Amino acid sequence: MASRGSTVLRVLAKHLLAEVPAARFGLAPGRVRRAAWARGTRRAFEELGPAFVKLGQLISVRPDEFSDELVAEMRSMQDSVPPIPASAIRAVIAAEFAAEPEELFATFEDTPLASASIAQVHRATLSESYRPVWGEVLPPGADVVVKVVRPGAAESIRADIAVARRLAARLAGTGLARRFDPVALLDESAVTVERELDLRQEGRFADRFRFDFRDDPRVVVPRIVWPRSTARMLTMEYMRGWRLTELEAARAEGVDCRGLAVHGATAFMRQVFVHGRYHADLHPANLFVTPDDTIAYLDFGIVGHLTPEERMNITQVMAALVYRDADRALTYSAKLGVHVPPDRIEAVRRGLGKLLDGTTRRDGTRDFALFGLGFLKLLGRHGVRIPSGYGLLIKSLATVEGVARALYPEIDIVATAQPFTTRILGQAMGDPARLRERMPAAVRAALRELVA
Amino acid sequence: MTDDVMRFFAAWMLTHEAADEGLKAAVLRGESGGPEGMGGGPDAFVDGLAAMVAEEKERLKRALEARARGEEPAAERDSDPALEEIRFEVAELRGRLDSIESLLETLVRKIG
């Protein structure tokens, strides 16, 4: 473990030293200097592997605690690594099923489709039909993908987190990390990674997502083949389409990208406000547009869950953004754990009011990313701790906006939230507990109006 | 009395369609919503809600007209969500059993 600790420090030092000239030996203006250190840190994290990639992803949702430059660098972090030999993947499959891939599938391709820090993906075809949890039967010969956790990935990630945690504890002890708690950040990272390492959780969420959107023919999710899935291997339907980086090809084939952007944004609002569970790892590689004018969601490794109470409070916060109501935003953010000290409330309220009014683009649409990240920074400036789920949701919404704008630059993500928030809050008026609480005041107001 | 609040207000709005100028004005303000059309704050929410109830009212009107023509409204053809949820949970359980069965087969292969 000590040697890995030295490796971590050596890799960090190597990439930070490589940025020294860009930072003009520490004499460059603050912004340039911070950008150089951030770039070096990002490159070190990419080299250090999955545990650090996940840590970087967590940093990318904390603009309240880290510099803009570091947050931006971590958002651009690539989770793509050279593939490992097929023999190593075959060994994992053999360990999981005591059988060769050819005994489990009609065909299995040794050349991987994709390779990331935690898992590698191979193409195969089913040898027999399978009736999935939801949706039509997959026939024999159906194209599937087999996602396999890289051998040793779980052990090395856990070891890396232990090393990083020890370094973080030392860092916390020096007092250099005053703005954030590095140990808590690593603990949060460990929980996320543990969830991702059990592929069955991803499969179960894919099934649930497919069920949630059963009435929406424009949203598709791969069907999971459970007899060929374990904690370290997930077999699912192969999806054809174009990644968001290949949109020109999709447009050339006549795919309605604008319509899909609006529909995709609406689908995300439905995940958050109606179902209370959402895909929290949307990026261009996890989202396809298909030749049938549908959106295909992939990779449910990171999922956000909301309790009914959280969902209602988030709906209120979103309604506050839709209707530019700073007081509503603060009241319901407090219920989500964002506690502003009483002596700071007025200053935060003023800052929030400015943000609500100042995040409209020239074309009249609202810029959610600017608002959301600005709000987190505003809270950070006033020393307000932000619950991780709150940061994750804001980052997810900002990502959805970015993805939707790649398809349709003029989209207003806030406008897509308006029908959901308004309807849900309208429906909430019928809640018996709320009626009991508010009815006396409403009757008094009505009587005042009648006798006026 | 329906337990759908929006539907309730829509029914109320339908029966008061010609009466309330204030409500009509709120609907218009709500329909022209967005950063340009709304002043912001709680009143803007009430306007937005009024516009949405007005949309629901139009849907209700169409449903009533359809029923008068002897057609079955689409909403009444939808299956029961609670029943659908149970169907999903049973199917999910089947998926887990498929997985366990496969695991047992693996164990048999390993032992044999």
Side-chain angles (χ1 to χ4, degrees):
Chain A
M1 193 175 279
S3 67
R4 179 60 178 163
S6 318
T7 307
V8 171
L9 290 174
R10 185 177 51 73
V11 171
L12 269 170
K14 179 180 84 178
H15 287 283
L16 290 176
L17 285 172
E19 293 297 335
V20 168
R24 288 186 224 149
F25 299 91
L27 298 173
R31 201 164 196 166
V32 177
R33 210 173 54 234
R34 285 196 300 274
W37 302 144
R39 199 163 43 245
T41 310
R42 192 253 303 157
R43 286 181 180 152
F45 278 20
E46 281 176 353
E47 185 178 333
L48 286 166
F52 290 86
V53 168
K54 296 297 157 196
L55 180 62
Q57 285 173 352
L58 279 180
I59 291 174
S60 75
V61 300
R62 304 311 295 260
D64 52 316
E65 293 182 337
F66 299 96
S67 71
D68 289 351
E69 293 78 8
L70 188 62
V71 167
E73 277 295 335
M74 293 301 167
R75 283 174 84 183
S76 70
M77 183 141 54
Q78 299 296 313
D79 186 11
S80 166
V81 294
I84 53 167
S87 56
I89 293 297
R90 284 173 168 273
V92 176
I93 296 174
E96 293 296 289
F97 285 97
E100 288 299 316
E102 283 74 15
E103 296 172 72
L104 302 168
F105 301 99
T107 61
F108 180 86
E109 288 182 14
D110 277 342
T111 310
L113 279 175
S115 178
S117 53
I118 289 184
Q120 188 157 301
V121 177
H122 290 255
R123 202 164 161 173
T125 52
L126 287 186
S127 55
E128 52 196 63
S129 66
Y130 179 65
R131 185 181 160 208
V133 165
W134 204 263
E136 288 172 23
V137 170
L138 287 160
D143 288 324
V144 291
V145 294
V146 184
K147 183 173 180 178
V148 181
V149 174
R150 294 166 81 100
E155 295 76 10
S156 77
I157 289 171
R158 286 179 193 126
D160 272 359
I161 287 176
V163 169
R165 203 176 183 283
R166 226 179 39 201
L167 294 173
R170 264 192 234 165
L171 182 68
T174 62
L176 284 170
R178 265 168 297 178
R179 289 184 69 192
F180 70 101
D181 179 352
V183 177
L185 190 72
L186 274 161
D187 288 345
E188 200 182 317
S189 169
V191 172
T192 311
V193 172
E194 281 298 331
R195 268 196 227 125
E196 275 193 79
L197 283 168
D198 185 348
L199 297 179
R200 289 171 301 188
Q201 298 209 33
E202 180 182 336
R204 283 184 200 127
F205 190 76
D207 280 342
R208 171 48 85 166
F209 196 101
R210 193 177 172 85
F211 172 74
D212 285 346
F213 282 86
R214 63 196 180 282
D215 59 346
D216 188 340
R218 297 193 78 184
V219 171
V220 290
V221 178
R223 287 166 278 185
I224 305 297
V225 184
W226 284 109
R228 296 289 176 266
S229 299
T230 65
R232 291 206 294 164
M233 175 173 148
L234 188 67
T235 302
M236 67 194 114
E237 179 184 7
Y238 176 76
M239 308 302 290
R240 283 175 183 78
W242 298 275
R243 288 170 195 271
L244 294 189
T245 46
E246 304 159 340
L247 283 179
E248 282 315 309
R251 284 196 185 100
E253 290 292 321
V255 171
D256 173 18
C257 289
R258 288 188 164 214
L260 284 180
V262 175
H263 201 81
T266 306
F268 187 77
M269 298 302 165
R270 185 173 159 187
Q271 290 169 49
V272 173
F273 299 118
V274 178
H275 300 301
R277 42 187 171 255
Y278 59 95
H279 192 307
D281 192 20
L282 282 178
H283 54 75
N286 286 348
L287 208 57
F288 275 28
V289 293
T290 76
D292 315 322
D293 259 348
T294 63
I295 310 164
Y297 287 83
L298 305 173
D299 197 347
F300 295 90
I302 306 176
V303 170
H305 286 279
L306 303 167
T307 64
E309 197 186 346
E310 283 170 334
R311 188 157 51 90
M312 186 50 74
N313 291 329
I314 282 168
T315 306
Q316 290 279 12
V317 174
M318 198 66 191
L321 173 58
V322 168
Y323 295 106
R324 290 187 288 154
D325 185 344
D327 289 329
R328 186 187 290 266
L330 281 182
T331 303
Y332 289 95
S333 289
K335 293 187 178 189
L336 289 162
V338 178
H339 298 295
V340 182
D343 59 323
R344 303 279 173 90
I345 283 182
E346 195 39 45
V348 171
R349 206 192 68 78
R350 270 201 309 275
L352 182 56
K354 273 187 201 161
L355 267 177
L356 287 169
D357 290 335
T359 45
T360 305
R361 299 188 192 96
R362 280 186 190 161
D363 61 4
T365 59
R366 278 157 289 182
D367 187 333
F368 179 81
L370 194 62
F371 167 78
L373 302 178
F375 186 36
L376 292 181
K377 279 188 78 68
L378 172 74
L379 294 172
R381 271 203 307 276
H382 289 278
V384 179
R385 283 222 169 262
I386 295 161
S388 61
Y390 196 82
L392 182 68
L393 180 63
I394 287 182
K395 188 242 181 180
S396 299
L397 276 163
T399 308
V400 167
E401 183 184 59
V403 165
R405 280 172 71 82
L407 292 163
Y408 177 16
E410 296 85 27
I411 194 169
D412 187 336
I413 196 97
V414 179
T416 63
Q418 183 173 5
F420 286 94
T421 55
T422 311
R423 176 169 284 273
I424 290 168
L425 296 185
Q427 295 282 18
M429 288 191 297
D431 175 34
R434 193 177 169 84
L435 281 177
R436 265 197 304 277
E437 182 194 327
R438 301 288 174 89
M439 197 49 96
V443 169
R444 274 199 304 278
L447 287 175
R448 262 203 307 276
E449 192 64 33
L450 285 171
V451 298
Chain B
M1 169 80 181
T2 170
D3 57 357
D4 184 327
V5 179
M6 296 295 279
R7 202 81 169 166
F8 168 75
F9 280 117
W12 180 84
M13 197 186 264
L14 187 62
T15 54
H16 293 73
E17 203 164 26
D20 191 341
E21 290 303 319
L23 185 62
K24 281 185 193 168
V27 169
L28 279 177
R29 283 195 303 273
E31 281 172 351
S32 65
E36 302 305 318
M38 274 185 211
D43 290 340
F45 173 72
V46 173
D47 292 346
L49 184 63
M52 186 163 269
V53 173
E55 277 174 29
E56 188 73 30
K57 180 202 74 180
E58 291 304 321
R59 268 196 290 275
L60 180 62
K61 208 191 258 185
R62 282 196 297 275
L64 290 173
E65 283 165 1
R67 192 171 292 168
R69 288 195 301 270
E71 296 164 13
E72 189 188 10
E76 289 173 19
R77 286 196 302 268
D78 290 347
S79 50
D80 182 354
L83 205 58
E84 287 275 279
E85 186 68 34
I86 293 170
R87 275 186 63 207
F88 172 74
E89 283 178 15
V90 171
E92 197 185 33
L93 200 59
R94 177 171 50 77
R96 288 186 189 226
L97 288 174
D98 287 342
S99 197
I100 292 168
E101 191 182 1
S102 166
L103 183 66
L104 284 173
E105 284 167 9
T106 303
L107 283 174
V108 169
R109 274 196 295 269
K110 281 184 177 171
I111 294 164

